[in-house]
Amino acid sequence: MSGSSLDGLDVAFAEIHENGGAWSAEILAADCYSYPSGWVDRLKNATSLNALDYQLLHVDYGHYLGEQVNRFIEENGLHYKVALISSHGHTTFHMPGRRMTGQLGDGAAIAAVTGLPVVSDLRAMDIAFGGQGAPIVPVGEKLLFRDHSLFLNLGGIANISFNTSEAYIAFDVCPANRVLNMLAALDGKEYDAGGQMASEGHVHEELLQKLNALPYYAQPYPKSLANDFGTDEVFPIVQSFGLSVPDALRTYVEHIVQQIGRTIRDHRRPITDDRQTTTEPPTAGEGLPQAQQTSNLKPQTSNLLVTGGGALNTFLVNRLQEELEPLGVEVSIPDEKLVQYKEALVMALIGVLRWRQEYNVLSSVTGARRDSIGGALWIGQEA
């Protein structure tokens, strides 16, 4: 898969098992292939192309993906070991309100180049059923990471998942690495390694307030963000204040942290002490009623599993832990392989579920009419 931050193509080889409804998975090999500069520009500018050039890019990128899969197989000695390719592709257009989402990377081209079966277009079925088509990772969190109740992915966009006894809900919180990387690029850097530049900056309160007041944050879930929300709306706002790069980075880190903190406060179910029964959870998209904010309520002690490239941003993670500590939430960073490739692993699982014709997108997350079996199947091998 290719993330919105355009840092490269994530490829993971996973072995997935199911036994009596219990799923497990292991990443046996993984890598991130950086894009040549030409591909970064082509993907970044894809939404400005005319219809014909867009379709040609879709096909070209599919052949490129197939070539990179073949490279990965060769480098890791995986000949005759790969049973299925599940390709998320690279998201360009995402307009669930118009029942449309677009991911570059023609599945037929991948299948033709690799000679293997391919599952692609993983979000389209959910969109057709009236869902947001995002996030789709929660089905993997539900099946593979049952010991956690909170999940945060800090990719180009930050998205969060809540696994409760009542329902599984998830949604996009705010742009994250895509904006941070664009700000770091102003100083000639690909990204802010470890959050070092942000740690040297200062929060600009007026900018922070303007970012926090963006209408998206007041919308109830289910909801999702297109990449251009960060690039075309958020980034120009940050630039308009004319801050130094460290100050801009520091302020945007604070924005990410505050939005995640607010989201967890608004959507996580409280528990009571022994003198009162547990209160009912808030309805979808609403915070706790003020009447429930009483002294005998205390936050659940929760473990937040954080993955995605932003999990390697030490400054961001430390600020997040400070923000969440009063809520009884402990930030947990897994091993680096899972940090970097959790989403690729889940895409593999989604492909396996599609192959088995089992539900692989959760309507409780996306708001679709029902759970769905998403993905187009392309048979690349000879019969």
Side-chain angles (χ1 to χ4, degrees):
M1 67 173 300
S2 172
S4 59
S5 57
L6 285 170
D7 52 357
L9 178 67
D10 287 344
V11 188
F13 176 61
E15 198 168 77
I16 298 174
H17 298 272
E18 183 267 335
N19 184 9
W23 289 84
S24 62
E26 181 182 3
I27 299 173
L28 300 180
D31 208 341
C32 180
Y33 292 149
S34 297
Y35 287 122
S37 59
W39 270 113
V40 172
D41 293 337
R42 293 185 74 183
L43 295 175
K44 186 183 299 183
N45 298 320
T47 56
S48 63
L49 298 175
N50 62 43
L52 175 59
D53 288 339
Y54 182 88
Q55 284 300 115
L56 291 173
L57 175 60
H58 179 58
V59 172
D60 286 350
Y61 187 58
H63 283 275
Y64 173 82
L65 293 179
E67 291 163 1
Q68 299 311 302
V69 170
N70 284 343
R71 169 188 169 188
F72 182 83
I73 290 173
E74 181 68 33
E75 290 178 352
N76 292 279
L78 300 177
H79 296 286
Y80 308 109
K81 296 180 181 179
V82 179
L84 179 71
I85 297 170
S86 182
S87 178
H88 174 273
H90 182 82
T91 298
T92 50
F93 300 101
H94 184 68
M95 304 172 66
R98 303 282 299 274
R99 299 184 182 182
M100 189 277 285
T101 186
Q103 283 75 45
L104 289 170
D106 180 23
I110 302 171
V113 172
T114 61
L116 291 165
V118 173
V119 175
S120 64
D121 299 321
L122 306 181
R123 302 179 186 270
M125 193 75 250
D126 182 79
I127 289 280
F129 277 122
Q132 291 286 311
I136 58 173
V137 169
V139 69
E141 295 167 341
K142 182 176 183 179
L143 296 178
L144 298 178
F145 304 101
R146 295 181 297 275
D147 294 337
H148 296 272
S149 59
L150 291 171
F151 303 88
L152 176 67
N153 180 67
L154 290 172
I157 294 171
N159 46 64
I160 197 165
S161 306
F162 299 82
N163 186 8
T164 71
S165 57
E166 290 80 20
Y168 202 108
I169 61 172
F171 50 89
D172 290 340
V173 177
C174 63
N177 292 346
R178 187 69 186 273
V179 173
L180 291 174
N181 292 351
M182 291 174 74
L183 291 171
L186 298 176
D187 201 40
K189 295 181 172 61
E190 189 176 345
Y191 58 93
D192 182 14
Q196 180 62 40
M197 286 194 292
S199 70
E200 298 169 355
H202 300 87
V203 175
H204 191 283
E205 289 295 337
E206 184 181 352
L207 170 58
L208 180 61
Q209 292 175 18
K210 188 166 185 177
L211 291 171
N212 285 339
L214 288 169
Y216 174 81
Y217 302 127
Q219 294 176 18
Y221 71 85
K223 59 182 180 178
S224 60
L225 285 169
N227 292 336
D228 59 10
F229 180 74
T231 58
D232 299 350
E233 294 188 46
V234 172
F235 182 68
I237 292 173
V238 178
Q239 273 195 309
S240 70
F241 279 78
L243 304 180
S244 68
V245 172
D247 285 357
L249 285 165
R250 176 68 184 88
T251 304
Y252 200 73
V253 164
E254 196 64 21
H255 171 64
I256 295 171
V257 167
Q258 289 191 8
Q259 286 305 318
I260 293 169
R262 180 197 61 79
T263 297
I264 291 177
R265 280 192 298 272
D266 287 352
H267 293 87
R268 206 181 54 150
R269 180 176 181 169
I271 59 175
T272 64
D273 61 22
D274 295 336
R275 293 171 293 175
Q276 181 173 318
T277 57
T278 305
T279 60
E280 290 299 312
T283 56
E286 297 178 350
L288 292 174
Q290 192 63 36
Q292 292 183 11
Q293 307 289 343
T294 56
S295 59
N296 68 322
L297 291 181
K298 56 185 179 181
Q300 292 171 308
T301 300
S302 301
N303 187 284
L304 176 68
L305 186 68
V306 181
T307 55
L312 304 178
N313 185 324
T314 307
F315 180 71
L316 171 58
V317 170
N318 288 342
R319 270 296 299 123
L320 185 61
Q321 182 61 80
E322 292 170 358
E323 181 80 8
L324 300 181
E325 189 172 354
L327 305 178
V329 176
E330 180 180 350
V331 173
S332 175
I333 309 295
D335 66 86
E336 189 166 335
K337 185 177 286 187
L338 188 57
V339 164
Q340 302 254 42
Y341 300 105
K342 175 191 156 201
E343 285 202 316
L345 170 64
V346 173
M347 296 307 144
L349 174 65
I350 288 173
V352 168
L353 291 169
R354 168 62 183 87
W355 181 266
R356 290 161 57 105
Q357 299 187 53
E358 298 179 17
Y359 291 129
N360 60 5
V361 180
L362 303 175
S363 59
S364 65
V365 170
T366 67
R369 293 199 301 274
R370 64 173 177 82
D371 293 349
S372 60
I373 303 171
L377 178 61
W378 310 88
I379 305 300
Q381 74 271 45
E382 294 183 13

